[in-house]
């Protein structure tokens, strides 16, 4: 009985923690003047409020560059407060690496500064943003209160980008979505890879084109091999000092697409593919079973269409 | 195996002894749906039915994508199935499809659009006229019937409408399996400005023209339908013929 009461009390106190809608964002310094808010390697829910993503900021001589704005208005505001505790310099630019909701739904909190992204990301947010937001209201609940879609208006292009006296480089890649921006900070050697790289968390694939994604990973890998990159910031999971997260993201994608291709060639139907066990090496990978299920839905129809197209119909 | 078959026969006989319409003997709906009595009245036309675990409906408990919920219906444990009706209690369009396994197993895999969480059921009518009802619950965020098809936002399907791709397996673990995909937007008609436009009939025949399976298809079947079925120990080519509700037809030969 005593134990039960203790357990109940524990539940109540956890609920109370969630009810204050405080993401408890603590910036992690990954290089001089470069900070990352590392999210949980979980799925969206009403306890984490969508804080499952990495965002970050760079303090340039004249101001701050923000990389992704998080999953909600509250997150964006709390992020801005946390930035203000580090520096009193103004935010000069907030960047959305791609059009997934955990990376741009904090834009409202930065609507007084230029919001920048690749052109394709602006189109994606404009067309799919509301549906994404609705979905996050459903999964994260009241954490989302007041959140509305704000489409970035400053178009960023591949190449050098100087902001506030800091030299950055924009990489316009794709494969995780139709347009994935990676940002390299020349001064510190920090590479913000966005969701092209997941670290110890199964990758998500709702808009993935796997072959393109693998090509983008090659590009990032080459950058790391070149020696200029000192810190790799993945879109999800811990910050890394080496290319291991790139290799592990590639490993998952190659296994996933290879396994689905094989299943389609063998003639398995979707329920049979869903029932296949994950390889032993992914047993401990966070959210692997859920992401596998989703990826079957995202990727199998196209792969299966190709496999059936190899048949002989006249 | 023979014992199992005898048991099945005995069970079936017991079922027949129950007068149609007496709910107490049939047991309650295993899925506890408040819509069940309506389903029995409208879809089964008030005919005799029994809940029967031999009719298996496989679908994910939690369907991530309401536009594409995979369903496998397997009534092969029942003898002499004439017709299988698949429906969802809480879909705005109840009937999903109906198939007549004339010379195939009573087995069909496909995908469905769900508007909200719902029981997903298959009712298999045996030669004695009794419907055997199985099903499973599917939870989903919903909206699958009132989201536009991908096809409605591009013009590619107009060029490829009713294009069939298919494969038949005659050896290995999938021996006897046939899979085919038909390009069609399968618009439900529930979205303003996009009229219902869907496949409504598909017949598979063997080389000699003998019907193997006949399908009557409704709007909730997912866009670009993919069907998986078993034709058993037959090889050789297949003929697949069908039409949609706008009168577009196709008739193709699937070589082995």
């Amino acid at each position: 009985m005593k134990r039960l009461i203790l357990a109940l009390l524990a539940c109540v106190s956890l609920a109370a923690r969630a009810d204050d809608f405080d993401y408890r964002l603590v910036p992690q310094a990954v290089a001089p003047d470069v900070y990352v808010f590392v999210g949980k390697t979980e799925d969206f829910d009403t306890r984490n409020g969508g804080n499952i993503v990495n965002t970050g900021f760079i303090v340039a001589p004249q101001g701050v560059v923000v990389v992704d704005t998080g999953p909600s208005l509250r997150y964006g505001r709390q992020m801005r407060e946390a930035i203000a505790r580090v520096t009193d310099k103004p935010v000069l630019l907030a960047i959305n690496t791609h059009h997934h909701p955990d990376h741009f739904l904090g834009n409202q909190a930065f609507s007084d500064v230029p919001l920048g992204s690749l052109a394709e990301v602006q189109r994606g947010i404009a067309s799919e943003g509301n549906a994404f937001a609705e979905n996050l209201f459903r999964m994260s609940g009241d954490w989302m209160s007041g959140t509305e879609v704000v489409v970035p208006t400053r178009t960023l292009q591949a190449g050098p980008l100087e902001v506030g006296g800091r030299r950055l480089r924009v990489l316009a890649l794709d494969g995780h979505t139709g347009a994935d921006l990676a940002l390299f900070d020349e001064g510190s050697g920090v590479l913000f890879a966005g969701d092209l790289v997941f670290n110890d968390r199964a990758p998500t694939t709702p808009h993935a084109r796997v072959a393109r994604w693998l090509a983008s990973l090659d590009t990032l890998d080459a950058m790391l091999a070149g020696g200029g990159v000192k810190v790799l910031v993945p879109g999800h999971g811990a910050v890394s000092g080496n290319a291991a997260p790139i290799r592990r993201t590639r490993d998952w994608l190659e296994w996933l697409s290879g396994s689905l291709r094989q299943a389609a060639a063998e003639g398995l139907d979707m329920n049979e593919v869903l029932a296949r066990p994950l390889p032993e090496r992914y047993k401990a990978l966070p959210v692997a079973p859920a992401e596998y299920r989703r990826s079957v839905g995202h990727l199998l129809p196209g792969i299966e269409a190709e496999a059936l197209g190899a048949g002989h119909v006249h | 195996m023979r014992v199992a078959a005898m048991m099945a026969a005995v069970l079936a006989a017991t079922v027949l002894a129950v007068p149609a319409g007496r709910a107490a003997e049939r047991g309650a709906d295993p899925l506890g749906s408040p819509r069940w009595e309506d389903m029995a009245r409208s879809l089964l036309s008030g005919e005799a039915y029994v809940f029967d675990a031999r009719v298996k409906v496989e679908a994910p408990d939690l369907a991530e994508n309401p536009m594409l919920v995979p369903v496998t219906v397997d009534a092969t444990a029942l003898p002499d199935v004439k017709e299988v009706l698949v429906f969802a209690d809480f879909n705005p369009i109840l009937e999903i499809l109906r198939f007549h396994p004339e010379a195939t197993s009573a087995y069909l895999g496909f995908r469905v659009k769900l508007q909200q969480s719902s029981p997903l059921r298959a009712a298999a009518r045996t030669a004695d006229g009794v419907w055997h009802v199985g099903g499973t619950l599917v939870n989903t965020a919903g909206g699958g019937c009132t989201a536009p098809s991908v096809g409605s936002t591009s013009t590619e399907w107009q060029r490829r409408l009713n294009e069939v791709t298919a494969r038949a397996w005659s050896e290995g673990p999938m021996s006897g399996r046939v899979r085919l995909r038909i390009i069609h937007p399968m618009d439900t008609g529930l979205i303003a400005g996009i009229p219902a436009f869907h496949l409504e009939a598909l017949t598979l025949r063997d080389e000699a023209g003998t019907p193997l399976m006949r399908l009557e298809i409704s709007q909730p079947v997912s866009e670009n339908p993919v069907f998986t079925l078993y034709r058993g120990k037959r090889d050789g080519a297949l003929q697949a013929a069908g039409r949609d509700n706008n009168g577009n037809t196709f008739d193709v030969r699937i070589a082995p």
Side-chain angles (χ1 to χ4, degrees):
Chain A
M1 190 61 192
K2 208 177 214 174
R3 212 176 273 171
L4 177 67
I5 289 169
L6 277 176
L8 282 173
L9 279 175
C11 290
V12 169
S13 70
L14 275 180
R17 271 174 60 95
D19 276 346
D20 62 11
F21 299 116
D22 186 343
Y23 286 104
R24 294 182 166 74
L25 297 178
V26 179
Q28 177 188 333
V30 298
D33 301 323
V34 184
Y35 299 84
V36 176
F37 299 102
V38 178
K40 298 186 164 73
T41 50
E42 298 174 353
D43 210 342
F44 298 98
D45 65 30
T46 52
R47 280 175 300 111
N48 61 39
N51 182 13
I52 59 155
V53 60
N54 295 343
T55 60
F57 63 99
I58 301 164
V59 183
Q62 283 116 49
V64 176
V65 180
V66 171
V67 183
D68 284 334
T69 61
S72 68
L73 168 61
R74 276 197 170 97
Y75 184 103
R77 281 189 180 147
Q78 290 173 27
M79 187 182 177
R80 207 156 174 184
E81 286 160 15
I83 294 170
R85 287 191 287 273
V86 172
T87 175
D88 53 11
K89 290 177 185 169
V91 176
L92 299 176
L93 174 68
I95 293 173
N96 298 136
T97 56
H98 61 293
H99 83 301
H100 283 165
D102 43 338
H103 299 263
F104 75 80
L105 280 175
N107 280 3
Q108 263 168 302
F110 298 93
S111 55
D112 59 324
V113 301
L115 287 160
S117 76
L118 299 173
E120 182 69 24
V121 174
Q122 293 165 13
R123 284 192 284 276
I125 292 175
S127 65
E128 294 184 79
N130 280 325
F132 289 150
E134 265 176 48
N135 200 33
L136 284 208
F137 270 89
R138 193 172 57 74
M139 293 196 288
S140 302
D142 287 343
W143 289 87
M144 297 296 296
S145 290
T147 303
E148 280 171 27
V149 172
V150 177
V151 182
T153 51
R154 179 169 166 196
T155 304
L156 301 177
Q157 259 134 23
L161 172 71
E162 188 162 321
V163 186
R166 189 114 174 172
R167 284 177 56 204
L168 307 169
R169 184 143 50 93
V170 169
L171 288 90
L173 303 169
D174 65 322
H176 172 66
T177 66
D180 298 287
L181 179 149
L183 188 71
F184 183 59
D185 176 37
E186 306 266 2
S188 66
V190 176
L191 175 63
F192 287 90
D195 280 6
L196 290 168
V197 179
F198 284 71
N199 192 11
D200 277 335
R201 194 239 190 247
T204 65
T205 58
H207 300 89
R209 283 176 298 170
V210 173
R212 299 292 311 164
W213 193 340
L214 292 171
S216 292
L217 289 178
D218 287 344
T219 303
L220 297 180
D221 220 0
M223 275 183 76
L224 267 81
V229 179
K230 295 192 179 66
V231 179
L232 173 66
V233 183
H236 299 261
V239 174
S240 171
N242 58 46
I246 296 177
R247 283 200 300 274
R248 283 200 291 270
T249 303
R250 189 204 315 272
D251 179 69
W252 171 273
L253 293 173
E254 284 175 345
W255 163 75
L256 180 66
S257 64
S259 157
L260 297 184
R261 258 169 232 293
Q262 188 196 3
E266 285 172 3
L268 298 190
D269 199 0
M270 195 178 275
N271 278 321
E272 295 161 326
V273 179
L274 287 168
R276 302 224 300 186
L278 290 178
E280 201 56 42
R281 67 184 189 277
Y282 298 135
K283 289 281 158 68
L285 183 65
V287 294
E291 292 304 346
Y292 173 67
R293 274 201 313 275
R294 290 189 195 111
S295 292
V296 170
H298 302 145
L299 302 177
L300 186 63
I303 288 173
E304 163 179 83
E306 272 175 41
L308 292 175
H312 305 284
V313 177
H314 309 283
Chain B
M1 190 65 188
R2 280 178 75 177
V3 176
M6 277 173 65
M7 294 266 294
V10 170
L11 272 175
T14 317
V15 163
L16 283 182
V18 177
R22 283 175 57 184
E25 284 87 347
R26 284 182 195 120
D29 171 17
L31 301 179
S33 164
R35 291 276 282 150
W36 173 250
E37 291 301 326
D38 289 343
M39 297 298 104
R41 239 188 329 269
S42 60
L43 287 169
L44 305 183
S45 314
E47 292 165 11
Y49 70 87
V50 60
F51 294 111
D52 193 329
R54 287 175 293 177
V55 179
K56 295 188 215 44
V57 178
E58 190 190 351
D61 301 338
L62 179 69
E64 306 282 355
N65 182 355
M67 303 279 285
L68 193 77
V69 181
V71 187
T72 310
V73 174
D74 183 349
T76 53
L78 276 178
D80 212 2
V81 172
K82 295 297 178 195
E83 173 182 10
V84 180
L85 167 64
V86 186
F87 57 97
D89 297 20
F90 289 105
N91 245 8
I93 298 165
L94 298 171
E95 184 168 325
I96 296 164
L97 60 75
R98 203 181 274 268
F99 68 95
H100 306 262
E102 293 177 1
T104 60
S105 307
Y107 177 103
L108 189 66
F110 54 99
R111 293 103 200 230
V112 63
K113 299 182 284 249
L114 286 183
Q115 182 65 6
Q116 57 178 313
S117 297
S118 174
L120 196 59
R121 312 208 196 233
R125 187 171 57 79
T126 41
D128 54 21
V130 175
W131 293 97
H132 299 255
V133 182
T136 187
L137 281 175
V138 180
N139 288 299
T140 180
C145 289
T146 50
S149 60
V150 175
S152 67
T153 59
S154 85
T155 52
E156 201 208 354
W157 66 266
Q158 296 174 351
R159 287 187 292 106
R160 299 181 62 194
L161 184 72
N162 287 333
E163 181 182 304
V164 179
T165 48
R167 271 190 74 182
W169 282 260
S170 53
E171 52 194 32
M174 294 299 154
S175 180
R177 179 172 279 205
V178 177
R179 306 193 73 214
L180 72 163
R181 176 177 188 267
I182 304 156
I183 293 188
H184 206 288
M186 297 298 292
D187 286 311
T188 58
L190 300 177
I191 302 152
I194 307 178
F197 183 40
H198 62 97
L199 287 172
E200 60 180 19
L202 171 65
T203 303
L204 286 160
R205 293 187 176 80
D206 68 11
E207 244 166 342
T210 312
L212 302 174
M213 182 182 276
R214 204 153 49 78
L215 293 91
E216 299 166 59
I217 301 165
S218 299
Q219 294 93 314
V221 170
S222 298
E223 182 174 9
N224 302 331
V226 177
F227 297 105
T228 302
L229 57 124
Y230 281 100
R231 62 167 165 171
K233 289 195 195 314
R234 288 180 184 78
D235 44 22
L238 286 152
Q239 202 73 22
R243 62 155 203 282
D244 65 26
N245 67 329
N246 278 18
N248 302 301
T249 60
F250 59 90
D251 191 351
V252 297
R253 181 174 183 273
I254 302 164

